[in-house]
Amino acid sequence: MASNDSEHSKGDERARLPLIGVTTYLERATQGVWDVRAAFLPEQYLLSVTSSGGIAMLLPPQAAEVADAAIAGLDGLILTGGADVQPELYGSERHPMTDTARADRDAWELALFHAAERRRMPVLAICRGLQLVNVARGGSLQQHLPESLGTDRYKLGGGVFASNDVEVVPGTMLADVIGAALTDGAFRVHSYHHQGIDDLGEGLTVSARTDDGLVQAFEDTANGYLVGVQWHPEENAENRHVFEGLVAEAREFAAQKIQKVQHQQKEGVR
């Protein structure tokens, strides 16, 4: 009976929902008599994780030194959208249209990403997240696309998401994840960004572009599962394939951790 209980416990562990860390940002918030800074994240991110079979765990900015400990119990990481990455981090002068620096968030999320890389933890980077990863890998950004590309097609303003078609590279992880949703290699996405990738970071492979040549997605399999998208997949409830892809990888990552612990326990008994 004890043996059966043990096997049942192991089965439960393997089947548990993967824990997905989701970055948040600090914003001023009011509720009743309170007016304070609070961890903020649109609900769409949380729904995208839970509807894909994961459990969302919020990661608000804090001391970068604790990043490794913060993700130790997680199975996947999502770097979310938000304010522009500081251009000083990639050696460029600040453009007048670049957002006010969010140094606390930049430091925290860079530390989280590097900690995830060391663990080979699955990572999904969205919009700002894609740009942050590109900078972390030594790449650079175009700070104002209406100036560098001559178009405002990616950011209409007023909280209205633009629609754009991206061309997905065949044979990439992204193409596999999106699958049947592709129409002749194209995929319609929700955009809200005024910056984009300039020089591509080390080890990253482009997996999607728009017809003006702007990188819209990249990936890397050499250091674990890493997919970055410039658009906002959380904004389309019918099309959250990249979240499903991350959760599937996180489930496998969790299973491998369990197997490693079980192997160490067996070796210890011997």
Side-chain angles (χ1 to χ4, degrees), residues 49 155 213:
V49 171
K155 186 174 182 180

Side-chain angles (χ1 to χ4, degrees), residues 137-151:
R137 289 290 187 86
S140 60
L141 305 176
Q142 302 178 56
Q143 290 188 58
H144 195 52
L145 297 177
E147 182 178 284
S148 58
L149 294 183
T151 178

Side-chain angles (χ1 to χ4, degrees), residues 23 25 41 45 79-83 105 109 126-129 232 234:
T23 59
Y25 37 107
L41 188 71
Y45 285 103
L79 299 170
T80 61
R105 187 177 182 191
E109 294 186 0
I126 296 172
C127 197
R128 166 197 154 87
H232 285 270
E234 77 281 1

Side-chain angles (χ1 to χ4, degrees), residues 67-117:
D68 196 70
I71 69 167
L74 302 180
D75 307 310
L77 174 66
I78 296 177
L79 299 170
T80 61
D84 298 333
V85 177
Q86 298 173 85
E88 293 81 3
L89 294 176
Y90 49 93
S92 294
E93 293 185 6
R94 179 174 293 273
H95 189 282
M97 297 301 294
T98 295
D99 294 336
T100 301
R102 295 295 184 91
D104 60 340
R105 187 177 182 191
D106 287 343
W108 173 239
E109 294 186 0
L110 283 169
L112 287 174
F113 173 63
H114 289 310
E117 276 195 308

Side-chain angles (χ1 to χ4, degrees), residues 12-266:
D12 286 346
E13 286 181 330
R14 293 191 185 98
R16 74 171 175 83
L17 300 180
L19 304 179
I20 310 298
V22 187
T23 59
T24 74
Y25 37 107
L26 297 174
E27 294 290 347
R28 198 155 201 88
T30 58
Q31 182 181 33
V33 299
W34 305 110
D35 184 356
V36 296
R37 290 186 83 202
F40 177 83
L41 188 71
E43 184 185 21
Q44 290 93 321
Y45 285 103
L46 309 181
L47 294 176
S48 296
V49 171
T50 57
S51 67
S52 298
I55 298 176
M57 310 292 288
L58 301 187
L59 295 170
Q62 50 200 291
E65 292 77 13
V66 305
D68 196 70
I71 69 167
L74 302 180
D75 307 310
L77 174 66
I78 296 177
L79 299 170
T80 61
D84 298 333
V85 177
Q86 298 173 85
E88 293 81 3
L89 294 176
Y90 49 93
S92 294
E93 293 185 6
R94 179 174 293 273
H95 189 282
M97 297 301 294
T98 295
D99 294 336
T100 301
R102 295 295 184 91
D104 60 340
R105 187 177 182 191
D106 287 343
W108 173 239
E109 294 186 0
L110 283 169
L112 287 174
F113 173 63
H114 289 310
E117 276 195 308
R118 289 192 293 272
R119 294 172 178 272
R120 299 180 66 83
M121 178 182 290
V123 176
L124 171 62
I126 296 172
C127 197
R128 166 197 154 87
L130 167 140
Q131 295 169 9
L132 184 87
V133 168
N134 193 58
V135 171
R137 289 290 187 86
S140 60
L141 305 176
Q142 302 178 56
Q143 290 188 58
H144 195 52
L145 297 177
E147 182 178 284
S148 58
L149 294 183
T151 178
D152 58 2
R153 63 184 286 193
Y154 300 114
K155 186 174 182 180
L156 303 179
V160 178
F161 285 85
S163 293
N164 285 284
D165 288 329
V166 301
E167 296 290 332
V168 179
V169 178
T172 58
M173 290 191 298
L174 181 64
D176 290 341
V177 167
I178 295 175
L182 287 171
T183 303
D184 295 327
F187 188 62
R188 198 150 187 82
V189 303
H190 287 74
S191 307
Y192 203 91
H193 61 96
H194 80 111
Q195 297 197 341
I197 289 177
D198 190 6
D199 294 325
L200 191 65
E202 183 178 353
L204 301 175
T205 301
V206 175
S207 52
R209 294 182 187 269
T210 32
D211 55 12
D212 54 13
L214 184 66
V215 175
Q216 290 289 334
F218 60 52
E219 57 192 50
D220 178 20
T221 56
N223 296 291
Y225 180 90
L226 168 62
V227 169
V229 295
Q230 182 62 84
W231 63 86
H232 285 270
E234 77 281 1
E235 290 299 320
N236 188 345
E238 303 301 319
N239 212 334
R240 290 172 173 163
H241 304 81
V242 293
F243 288 98
E244 295 169 358
L246 176 77
V247 170
E249 290 291 333
R251 188 177 292 111
E252 179 62 27
F253 180 80
Q256 290 174 1
K257 287 195 299 183
I258 292 171
Q259 291 172 3
K260 183 177 180 180
V261 169
Q262 292 174 345
H263 176 74
Q264 291 172 339
Q265 290 173 339
K266 289 180 181 178

